[in-house]
């Protein structure tokens, strides 16, 4: 499947956008361990607040489309510091930073983040994804 994605995108090892990305240490295994009691709702009208740590754990293991062996966390495309939750307004803002400013995979990364969050978060939560650039 990953090879098929690479072939459909027309990428070869010689044409990688960022052939030698910087790989950072990760925070370790998932920070949150959920049990059945954590997921069960006492009152259907009451919504459990979502934390930035929970959101980060949902997206940190997404694989980079260009470097399948690396996660978005390892490349610092997503970080815990770039997740903001406004529980009163029921809004989540996540900023992600591609490894290079001219990354052609930014749209695909944003789509992966959006779909993952839409499928795992409460439907009434407003999701704002923002692409940020680092100029070096």
């Amino acid at each position: 499947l990953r090879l098929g994605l690479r072939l459909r995108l027309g990428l070869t090892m010689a044409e990688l956008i960022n052939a030698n990305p910087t790989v950072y240490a990760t925070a370790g295994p998932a920070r949150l361990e959920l049990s059945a009691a954590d997921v069960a709702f006492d009152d259907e009208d009451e919504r459990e607040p979502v934390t930035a740590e929970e959101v980060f754990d949902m997206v940190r293991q997404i694989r980079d489309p260009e470097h399948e062996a690396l996660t978005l966390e390892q490349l610092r495309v997503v970080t815990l510091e770039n997740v903001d939750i406004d529980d009163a307004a029921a809004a989540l803002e996540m900023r992600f930073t591609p490894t290079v400013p001219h990354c052609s995979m930014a749209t695909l990364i944003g789509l992966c983040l959006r779909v993952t969050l839409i499928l795992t978060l409460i439907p009434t939560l407003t999701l704002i994804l923002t692409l940020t650039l680092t100029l070096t």
Side-chain angles (χ1 to χ4, degrees):
L1 178 65
R2 293 193 190 282
L3 179 60
L5 175 64
R6 180 168 286 218
L7 292 175
R8 282 194 301 274
L9 293 173
L11 296 175
T12 65
M13 292 305 285
E15 298 171 346
L16 292 177
I17 298 161
N18 187 1
N20 192 16
T22 303
V23 179
Y24 299 92
T26 63
R31 298 172 188 175
L32 302 172
E33 297 294 328
L34 297 177
S35 67
D38 295 327
V39 179
F41 293 104
D42 295 331
D43 184 4
E44 290 185 22
D45 295 332
E46 188 176 323
R47 179 175 64 84
E48 288 284 325
V50 178
T51 65
E53 291 83 9
E54 289 173 321
V55 172
F56 181 65
D57 277 345
M58 292 175 198
V59 299
R60 64 190 289 226
Q61 294 300 319
I62 295 174
R63 300 282 176 191
D64 184 75
E66 186 177 16
H67 302 283
E68 294 97 10
L70 301 173
T71 65
L72 296 183
E73 179 187 22
Q74 289 175 305
L75 296 173
R76 284 204 185 148
V77 173
V78 293
T79 61
L80 178 58
E81 294 76 27
N82 286 334
V83 178
D84 294 317
I85 306 255
D86 183 355
D87 203 43
L92 159 67
E93 180 178 4
M94 174 179 275
R95 293 170 301 285
F96 68 100
T97 309
T99 57
V100 292
H102 56 278
C103 179
S104 66
M105 298 290 171
T107 303
L108 183 58
I109 292 169
L111 181 62
C112 290
L113 291 170
R114 180 169 291 282
V115 168
T116 299
L117 292 171
I118 285 173
L119 292 176
T120 55
L121 289 175
I122 301 160
T124 58
L125 197 63
T126 301
L127 175 61
I128 303 164
L129 281 177
T130 307
L131 182 134
T132 60
L133 299 177
T134 55
L135 303 174
T136 55

